Amino acid sequence: MLLAVALATMLTIALMVTHAMAADLATEIKSLDTSNFAQKEKAIAAIAATGDARVAAVLTALNDNKLLIRKADRLVVIAEGKGNVKIENAATGEALGEAAEADLDRIAINNKIRRQIKVILGGLTLFSDDPAVRLKAADDLFRSRDLSSLQPLKDALAKEQDPQVRQAMMEALAALTLVSDAPEAEKLAAVLTVKARGDQDAIALLSSVAQGSDAVARAATEALTSLEWARSFWDSLQNAVYGLSLGSVLLLAAIGLAITFGVMGVINMAHGEMVMIGAYVTFLVQEVIRGAAPDLLDQSLFIAVPLAFLVTALIGIAIERSIIRFLYGRPLETLLATWGLSLILQQAIRSLFGPTNREVSTPSWMSGSLELGALTLTANRLAIIVFALLVFVGLLLLLRHSRFGLEMRAVTQNRQMASAMGIHTARVDALTFGLGSGIAGIAGVALSQIDNVSPNLGQSYIIDSFMVVVFGGVGNLWGTLVAALTLGIANKFLEPFAGAVLGKILVLVFIILFIQKRPRGLFALKGRAVEA
Amino acid sequence: MDKAANSILYLDDVNVSFDGFKALKALSLIIEPGEMRAVIGPNGAGKTTMMDVITGKTRPDTGDVLFAETRDLTRLDEATIAELGIGRKFQKPSVFEKLTVGENLALALAGNRGVRDALFWRMSTREKARLDELLEIVRLGAQKDMLAARLSHGQKQWLEIGMLLAQEPKLLLVDEPVAGMTDAETETTASLLKSIAGERSIVVVEHDMNFVRELDVKVTVLHEGTVLAEGSLDHVSADNRVIEVYLGR
Amino acid sequence: MIAGRLLKISDRGVLVTLAVILIIAILVPVLHLLVPPESAFHIPAYAMALIGKYLCYAMLALSLDLIWGYCGILSLGHGAFFALGGYAMGMYLMRQIGSRGVYGNAELPDFMVFLNWTELPWYWHGFDSFAFAMFMVLFVPGVLAFLFGFFAFRSRVSGVHLSIITQALTFALMLAFFRNDMGFGGNNGLTDFKDILGFNLQASGTRTALFIATCLALGASLLLCLAITRSRLGVVLTAIRDAESRTRFLGYRVEAFKLFAFTVSACIAGVAGALYVPQVGIINPGEFAPANSIEAVVWTAIGGRGTLFGPILGAVLVNFAKSWFTSALPELWLFALGGLFLAVTLFLPKGLAGLFDRKAAGGRRAVPAAQPEAAE
Ligand SMILES: Nc1ncnc2c1ncn2[C@@H]1O[C@H](COP(=O)(O)OP(=O)(O)OP(=O)(O)O)[C@@H](O)[C@H]1O
Ligand SMILES: [Mg+2]
């Protein structure tokens, strides 16, 4: 029987290849109107032989039980829907309006016919003019491992020119060989081909072949082991990338805090709200652009970043001048006052913009992804990693090399001395706080791209940010960097084993224990500055 | 360990650095039981740092610090060191400002320092007498129920001295006791310290040369974290290097 | 000397508070049980439960005050001890349901049946017994506080760092209790309680008894805190708060004192949580939310820390205001709370109690504006 099918296929293909389109599709379709399965088979072969563009549509419909005969005029139609169905002429594709299901007869098919259709359809796609379609057909075949397609595949492979498609077809052939009763040597070679492919499907195939104890099974097992290794390598790499991107989000959220907390010793519980406001600035910028200059939408982030910095920095300075400066030397009170402030800011945003999420669009250049080996890097993750590092480096340079940075460090180390040297400590305080808040605002722009922009946005980052700063060592930007990336990566590596929530708990517990061991964090400063 | 024989305090080759800055360099010092020693030196010489090392506040990078010949102070925490019998008066008066004078002294009174003892503690008549005696000595009898915060600078100094005495330590470390005191008070302090010496060992740090002269004890001159000279005040003030350190540059 | 201060203003505050608690403990039940519902003076069950809830919060605030007001330890995770006490009580109440649950399973609480569990987890054993559950109400928060404090204080984690890791602690617990596999009812927590010690929880008598128990527990905690703070230990705690390292140089093992106060405080918070649960009828992981703990700190600060009666006042007033606001002007509540908080930290560092204290000769326990570390 297999032989018969193969023969029929050969015939079909031969006919197609020569573009013999002598017969008329409509006539051949008409001959489907019979209860004899053998005749139907013949009719199907004939339909395929027409090489008409509608062959695929008709045969697919037949396979899906959607090819029906209108009782009134015995016209073969393709029907869509249930109950009252939309029908079209099967031969021409001309729409014929609606019909009741009761007015239509189904063309019954059996399994043999199904197989026949499948082979023909497979053949059609394997021989399609479009290389993408051929590629997909080969890949589908690799997965389905339908032995009835072995012959057409071989034929297709023989005349394939495109190297990529050729490769896919060879892999599909190897897959079919492995499930066929081919000789051992051929199968062993096939194992290697499949192994070289190395993806999830290859692993699935090899694991199914690896059952048993013959040479092929052994080879498959071997291939599988080495593939598992490669896969866990790529998985780790992928996790590292996810971790890196989570880490840079943490870095962005924490770095402003590292300044206000680390440099000034001020606990700003409203830090998260600065992040949130930054995200809302992004939203507003996009709203305005959408109304005024929709073409600029892709550039909206470039406008949002400086604007968010400005807005939050100003708010920060206002907060410092009106609240924080009265509370220096009383860190716990600062903590509570800024917490009160965070409630007010949250509620203010909620009253202004409503409690629901606001839609912030992602520029086109941030969508899409990059494939690197088995690694997928999405553009927005990459953008955030790069952005976080840029912010970090920028800040580092600012603190190291600018006059302001110098004054800031002077004030941190010895307030009296700095003020005696003519530094306006009050101004430095305000600006430092403004800087920390401004950076939080920038972080908000970035987070608006990956998180929901809602009044609660900041809340979800505040504890993590504190953890990062404390873990990294207060007053040390490098510590913040290392801590953020470490925690991000640790989180992502724990996730597969422990699940997201438990992973997070483990990380928290780890930090709590770590702080016991090293109360000053990873990179502790020694000396008077920290004791004060 | 016999290098430390017959000493109440033994410092040898002690080094302390803060972020690269060397506050103490190969400092060595031996105090005999019952001895009173004056330590002088310009600002930043490391006098306070030396006391920090002895009382466990600062851990030396290297060096031996032994108490009563055998106890290695570099391994103990502040509370244990205090319990061993080392009392300290700080340079900046550091009394408990929100407690009364009486409470300050009561906290310092020798006795058990455990949590349970503190919870069920009632002042005995002996302790009450001791407290009154101390109030007498530091002349704060009238201020007994006053918050320490409201004392004058000099009175705070006295209170700290009182707290130091209340601890009944074997070794007293006294950092600049007479700063902010009148001449008469300075004199009283000197005689007070002299009366304690012999029974207890004392290390006094002071800038006030009159006071040091008053004490009339062996003097150690510290400079840039090391001992520059040692001997009687007359002896060290004749030393050229000492003169240079104090007057030169 | 210490006896001499017994009539200091803050003590008078404590005495008045004790008297008020006593009056409430008698008056509210009388007005609830004996005055007929038609009367204007009748206190309905829900109102009594509400007051009971406030009093539980007051206990939580008191427990915070013991460590923050007297020892300078600002815990931003005290809600965790409250919630743990609550869960211990909740577990007992769950076991009391027996086979009256929706699934009628006498062995397992409903949520376990729902999760297809076949066996009671080991840590649920024993909670059938009231005595055991009450022991756990003290034991679980106490042990957690002891272990946490032991490591934290030994490594001298203090000030802001300590606050932050206590917050991390309660956050981690919240995440953990949200998980279904923890066996504490996940998201929904424990609820649908039927009775306590065999008495129907909905019955007026039971509710009144719970209310009186809450008053007594609050009064007892207040007395306990009073005893602690008036002892020499209290003096040491104050000394630690104002000049930690100076206290060390006097030979006091600061970490031991802190640990004692922290553990006692956690136990009080646990009891508060245990009394809270039967009166509100539910305990869920939301109680672990860091914001709850901070809110409790708010009550303490607003009332006036370091006074014992201040926090009680603060908790009751703020929560009363919260109930009123959230029904009358819900959007304004957060503005009000935040604003109140800012105002108190900026203008009223001693809290409401500071208002009473103003004319007094500066109570020593009142917290100073700035707390410089004396021993430098
Ligand atoms: N914790 C610290 N961190 C950094 N530097 C320190 C620290 N403690 C002391 N120093 C430095 O060590 C040096 C010695 O200080 P120390 O306080 O011991 O001097 P001193 O002799 O007591 O001076 P003074 O007479 O002014 O009290 C000083 O330069 C000081 O700045
Ligand atoms: Mg000094």
Side-chain angles (χ1 to χ4, degrees), chain B residues 55 57 77-80 82-83 86 88 90 92-96 98-100 102-103 106-109 113-115 118-119 121 145 147 160 163 167, chain C residues 1-2 5 156 228 231-233 235-236 238-239 241-243 246-253 255-257 260 361-362 364-366 368 374-376:
Chain B
T55 51
K57 187 180 181 202
D77 68 359
E78 298 97 317
T80 316
E83 269 182 325
I86 299 183
R88 174 172 183 185
F90 288 82
K92 263 197 221 156
S94 51
V95 295
F96 299 104
K98 299 293 143 190
L99 300 179
T100 64
E103 282 172 329
L107 263 190
L109 275 186
R113 300 298 205 223
V115 174
L119 192 55
W121 182 78
D145 288 325
L147 284 188
E160 261 222 89
M163 288 166 71
Q167 282 174 266
Chain C
M1 171 197 66
I2 284 164
R5 1 193 91 260
R156 303 203 180 166
I228 290 176
S231 73
R232 179 185 174 117
L233 193 139
V235 181
V236 178
T238 316
R241 177 192 75 192
D242 293 341
R246 182 70 179 92
T247 317
R248 277 209 177 88
F249 289 115
L250 282 183
Y252 291 97
R253 227 160 286 282
E255 48 280 1
F257 284 84
F260 173 79
R364 71 144 198 252
R365 304 299 163 112
E376 255 267 28

Side-chain angles (χ1 to χ4, degrees), chain A residues 526-531, chain B residues 16-19 21-24 39-52 57-58 91 175-176 205-207 222 224-225, chain C residues 376:
Chain A
K526 214 176 151 192
R528 236 161 223 180
V530 279
E531 285 177 24
Chain B
V16 170
S17 62
F18 296 108
D19 296 326
F21 171 76
K22 283 191 155 271
L24 292 183
V39 176
I40 61 173
N43 291 113
K47 307 178 293 287
T48 302
T49 306
M50 176 188 80
M51 292 197 167
D52 288 346
K57 187 180 181 202
T58 302
Q91 180 170 354
D175 204 347
E176 306 200 9
V205 164
E206 200 31 272
H207 284 293
L222 232 54
E224 291 184 347
Chain C
E376 255 267 28

